[in-house]
Each structure stands twice: as structure tokens, then as C-alpha cells.
Amino acid sequence: MCVCQTMEVGKYGKNATRSGDRGVLLEPFIHQVGGHSSMMRYDDHTVCKPLITREQRFYESLPPEMKEFTPEYKGVVSVCFEGDSDGYINLVAYPYVENEALEQDDTPERDQPRRKHSRRSLHRSSSGTEHKEEKPGLASDSTESIQETKSPRVDLHIHSDVPFQMLDGNSGLSSEKISYNPWSLRCHKQQLSRMRSESKDRKLYKFLLLENVVHHFKLPCVLDLKMGTRQHGDDASEEKAARQMKKCEQSTSATLGVRVCGMQVYQLDTGHYLCRNKYYGRGLSIEGFRNALYQYLHNGIELRKDLFEPVLAKLRSLKAVLERQASYRFYSSSLLIIYDGKDSRAGMFVERRPEMRLKRVDSSLPESLQDGGSTEPGSSAQPKVDVRMIDFAHSTFKGFRDDPTVHDGPDVGYVFGLESLINIMEQMREENQ
């Protein structure tokens, strides 16, 4: 029984999955393509992630002109473990009540032990024993029961009708076809493992509620880019800073101010998402980065030339906004570029796929499909795209949380990354006119 089940539950978001008659059952956000912390689906319009106080305060302090380029901040929920009748553990969210959920420690990175592939977003709380005498345990009154509880389910309630395929290191398709981005489940399993290991000290966690920025897209194609020439925060230990600087030096972060952190792109010819992760992105040369961007804009039939102008317009607008943000630094933040893989031709092809049995597009298809034309009315309308900044756990600006280090001028590393991205896309547009 969860320690917070005695709370009154407030309003639920649209299509939230309830746990019994009370909390909202959280599941991995199936379109997460990068990052360390697991993004969880709260409802159709909302995702949530472990709360880091610095990131929460940053969202609350955003300049108005930046809000167009960031997810909407929707507040905080309390999250805890619950065991189901089959012995599996789930994460369940409840309305946040002050002093019920334990505060996140704001432990500087230098005090945190290194854990490979995971951000230290969940810290043990010294006040974790406050609830032990007053509240029941997690799955039962015995803390040992959590250690014996099974891993999270993989037969998710929310899944994609479109299979995902991860491209391996040899650029070959993995044989496994799954209904969620493999990176999202990886992050989810790692996070549950961390939380279970802390279960004797922590009963409740605080999670941020954020806008689900891919909600409006039928087949979201997502590119996650780590922006800037520097990734470590001002409070990073020497060891942490050295590791991050090495990653930058050995990747396009140093040469371009941007590197691929993950992506998924819908392929019209197979009906699958192709996925890449951060390890692929770290090994790319400048030319490799160009090729990755080309692949992201290619739908398996042709390059989506119609995306150049709307994406470039968003990137130029964001660059102008950030150039006006004096003293702001967005260390280790990412930029999401999103478009819909379901254009007019995608709809036509998907409808015919059962008869075609995933046959690759060739010259036997109507000419209108091959040359990018369409007989559907309104198909010439500019495609919907979105560009959003995310992950602000290491961001700072003058006067923010009494940070001792104050920077001058805009974040030139981030702006450099945007300039590189704009230049490469402009060149690609010229080469493919």
C-alpha cells in the first residue's frame, strides 16, 4: 500500500491511467529518445520526470519570450511505489501536498557518487524516517518485500501502433520490433532500480509535471540535440567537469556546438520508427552529423524538403531570443526538433500497407508518391514543426538561487550550436533544391 493513498485526489488529466480509484499510474513515455532521467506519461497532454529543485525553479523563472521554446511547466506531483496483485511494482502519482512528499536534496554533483548512464536526479533524504512509524510501507509493511518485488511490466498500457527499430553500431536494423522507443524503457528500468535501492530511506518522490510536446503529432519524429560547447554545471566536481569536457572534445560538441543525443524518425517504406541513441551521436564526425540530420529529415522515400523553411524559421527565432538573454547559461540542456511523420502521403501509404505487406516503395508506385506530389486537398500547407529546449538542471543566470558564478553576455556556446545547425540545414536545402 502506498504511503500517500490517504490523500484526497484532485483532478486528473485527460486519459490518465488510474491506479484503482485513486492515483495516476505512470508509464514510460514511449517517445523518449534521449536523456538520463525517465520521462513518464501522466496523461495525453502531460509527462513527468524526477524533480530537481534547480530545474523546477528555472522553469518558474523563465523569461516570457523563452516560454514559446520550452515545455509548459504544470506543477508537481507526489510519486510512490505500489505493488499490484501479480507482484509487479508500479509508480503512481498523487496530488502533491506540502510536507507530505520529501524534498529533493540539492546535493552538488561533487558529492554524488558516479553512476554510469544515469543522472543523479534522486537523492536520499535524511528525513526519510519521518514516515516510517506513521505510514505503511511501500508494497507491504516490510521493506524487504520491495527488494523481492518483480521488475516493472513491459506490456505497457500505453504503446505505439507503429513498431520501433533501433539501429545498432553497424547501422543494421535490430531484429526486435517493439512498441516503444527502446531508450525510454532503458531509462525507466534504471530509474526504478535506483528508486528501489533507496526504498528503505525514501517513501515519496516529487516529480515535475511538464507539457507533452509531441502530443499534437500523429507520428512524432524527434531529434534530441545536446547543445553548447560545454556540458558541466558550475558546481561540477573536477572529475565530473573533466569527463564532460572529454566528451565534448571527442564529439561534434567542440566543433559544431551540438551533438546528436537521440532520435526517432518514421519511415514510410517500412512503417517503422528508426531510432538512434546518444552513443551513436557521440561518435559522429562533422560529416557524420550532417548525415544524421539528413537521415532525420528522410522518411524512407525521400528527403522532406518541405521541413527546411519551418524548422529554420524556428531555429532563427530561438537564436534571436537567446542572444538577448544576458548571463544565462544552459549547460547540459537539450533541444528537441519535432515534426509529424504522418503527412498526406503517409496516410495514403499506411492505408495500403496491409495489402502491400510492407513492400518497399519502388517505381511501381504512383508517380505522385515518387515525386512528392499528392492528390489530397490542402497537402501544400506548411507542415507543423516544433522546437523546444529541455533539461535545465544545470542552468543558471545572474541572481538565480544565489549562484556564486555569474556569467557575462549570452550563452555563446549554445548560440554557436544553433548557428551550426542553421548553416548545415541551409546548405542541405541548397544542395537538394
Side-chain angles (χ1 to χ4, degrees):
M1 175 99 34
C2 177
V3 297
C4 50
Q5 281 190 334
T6 56
M7 298 182 193
E8 287 189 10
V9 176
K11 293 182 179 178
Y12 289 89
K14 182 180 180 182
N15 293 333
T17 304
R18 300 201 187 183
S19 175
D21 295 327
R22 300 181 183 275
V24 175
L25 176 66
L26 301 180
E27 292 198 334
F29 177 56
I30 62 174
H31 294 297
Q32 179 176 359
V33 303
H36 300 282
S37 292
S38 176
M39 298 295 298
M40 308 295 292
R41 176 192 180 274
Y42 183 83
D43 61 37
D44 282 352
H45 298 85
T46 312
V47 296
C48 59
K49 62 183 292 190
L51 184 148
I52 298 175
T53 305
R54 172 174 288 273
E55 183 169 38
Q56 178 193 15
R57 301 305 179 210
F58 193 85
Y59 271 111
E60 293 173 343
S61 308
L62 276 173
E65 61 180 344
M66 279 188 62
K67 291 184 178 181
E68 174 188 349
F69 297 102
T70 58
E72 178 189 357
Y73 168 65
K74 297 188 174 186
V76 180
V77 289
S78 297
V79 173
C80 62
F81 288 108
E82 285 186 10
D84 63 20
S85 58
D86 295 324
Y88 288 90
I89 59 171
N90 297 301
L91 293 181
V92 182
Y94 293 84
Y96 173 65
V97 177
E98 196 70 35
N99 299 324
E100 284 282 354
L102 302 179
E103 291 287 340
Q104 290 278 357
D105 292 335
D106 236 6
T107 310
E109 284 188 283
R110 66 178 67 91
D111 298 330
Q112 299 169 4
R114 181 184 180 190
R115 185 188 297 268
K116 192 174 183 180
H117 307 330
S118 64
R119 177 189 298 166
R120 296 297 296 153
S121 55
L122 298 170
H123 309 299
R124 295 189 177 189
S125 170
S126 59
S127 58
T129 56
E130 290 178 0
H131 297 286
K132 287 187 176 179
E133 298 300 321
E134 302 170 2
K135 305 285 186 180
L138 297 172
S140 72
D141 290 341
S142 171
T143 54
E144 280 83 4
S145 63
I146 280 296
Q147 305 305 325
E148 298 167 0
T149 307
K150 298 177 183 179
S151 299
R153 290 186 181 276
V154 294
D155 54 332
L156 307 179
H157 294 88
I158 306 299
H159 60 87
S160 171
D161 293 329
V162 178
F164 292 77
Q165 288 188 313
M166 176 63 75
L167 290 173
D168 64 19
N170 297 319
S171 298
L173 283 175
S174 64
S175 58
E176 186 181 19
K177 299 179 181 66
I178 52 179
S179 59
Y180 41 80
N181 190 296
W183 193 258
S184 67
L185 192 64
R186 174 194 175 106
C187 291
H188 182 58
K189 288 180 175 179
Q190 289 179 344
Q191 184 162 293
L192 277 181
S193 177
R194 291 195 298 270
M195 294 174 72
R196 288 207 302 175
S197 70
E198 298 170 351
S199 62
K200 293 182 179 180
D201 300 272
R202 299 290 303 273
K203 294 294 188 283
L204 287 175
Y205 297 85
K206 289 168 66 176
F207 275 48
L208 285 179
L209 289 176
L210 298 170
E211 173 191 2
N212 173 7
V213 296
V214 307
H215 171 68
H216 298 291
F217 299 88
K218 300 291 186 182
L219 296 170
C221 298
V222 184
L223 179 64
D224 186 328
L225 299 170
K226 186 72 74 172
M227 299 299 295
T229 54
R230 168 181 160 176
Q231 301 303 325
H232 60 281
D234 290 325
D235 64 344
S237 65
E238 290 186 9
E239 179 191 6
K240 172 76 170 182
R243 289 201 309 271
Q244 295 289 2
M245 286 189 287
K246 185 176 181 180
K247 289 178 187 176
C248 290
E249 290 168 2
Q250 296 177 343
S251 70
T252 55
S253 292
T255 52
L256 296 174
V258 55
R259 72 172 183 256
V260 173
C261 197
M263 76 174 183
Q264 68 179 40
V265 54
Y266 181 70
Q267 302 290 278
L268 283 179
D269 54 345
T270 64
H272 301 153
Y273 285 109
L274 293 188
C275 306
R276 294 285 199 180
N277 62 31
K278 67 178 181 181
Y279 302 110
Y280 162 78
R282 286 181 191 172
L284 294 177
S285 62
I286 294 178
E287 187 60 28
F289 181 88
R290 293 176 188 269
N291 292 338
L293 187 57
Y294 184 95
Q295 183 178 53
Y296 169 66
L297 296 172
H298 200 286
N299 62 16
I301 298 176
E302 66 167 7
L303 186 69
R304 287 286 304 274
K305 301 175 188 178
D306 58 327
L307 296 170
F308 284 126
E309 285 308 319
V311 172
L312 282 168
K314 291 272 189 182
L315 293 175
R316 293 180 186 122
S317 180
L318 174 60
K319 177 175 174 286
V321 167
L322 294 189
E323 286 175 334
R324 295 192 289 269
Q325 308 309 313
S327 83
Y328 278 75
R329 295 297 180 271
F330 308 101
Y331 299 133
S332 198
S333 71
S334 287
L335 186 70
L336 298 182
I337 301 177
I338 311 162
Y339 71 88
D340 205 327
K342 184 175 175 59
D343 62 4
S344 57
R345 290 167 303 133
M348 295 170 63
F349 197 82
V350 168
E351 288 173 5
R352 298 171 56 181
R353 186 171 297 112
E355 291 75 29
M356 299 184 68
R357 304 301 298 171
L358 302 183
K359 182 179 179 181
R360 281 191 170 272
V361 174
D362 55 27
S363 58
S364 65
L365 282 181
E367 187 176 346
S368 61
L369 288 186
Q370 296 180 47
D371 63 14
S374 174
T375 58
E376 291 191 12
S379 61
S380 61
Q382 194 173 68
K384 177 177 174 58
V385 303
D386 209 346
V387 171
R388 302 290 187 106
M389 300 174 67
I390 59 170
D391 297 338
F392 301 111
H394 303 287
S395 296
T396 185
F397 59 88
K398 184 177 181 180
F400 182 58
R401 295 174 62 82
D402 297 321
D403 288 347
T405 304
V406 177
H407 301 273
D408 294 325
D411 190 334
V412 293
Y414 199 113
V415 171
F416 172 54
L418 286 174
E419 290 172 344
S420 298
L421 197 54
I422 291 169
N423 290 337
I424 291 172
M425 289 198 68
E426 287 178 340
Q427 293 170 9
M428 196 177 298
R429 178 190 59 188
E430 296 301 316
E431 293 167 358
N432 292 276
Q433 281 185 340

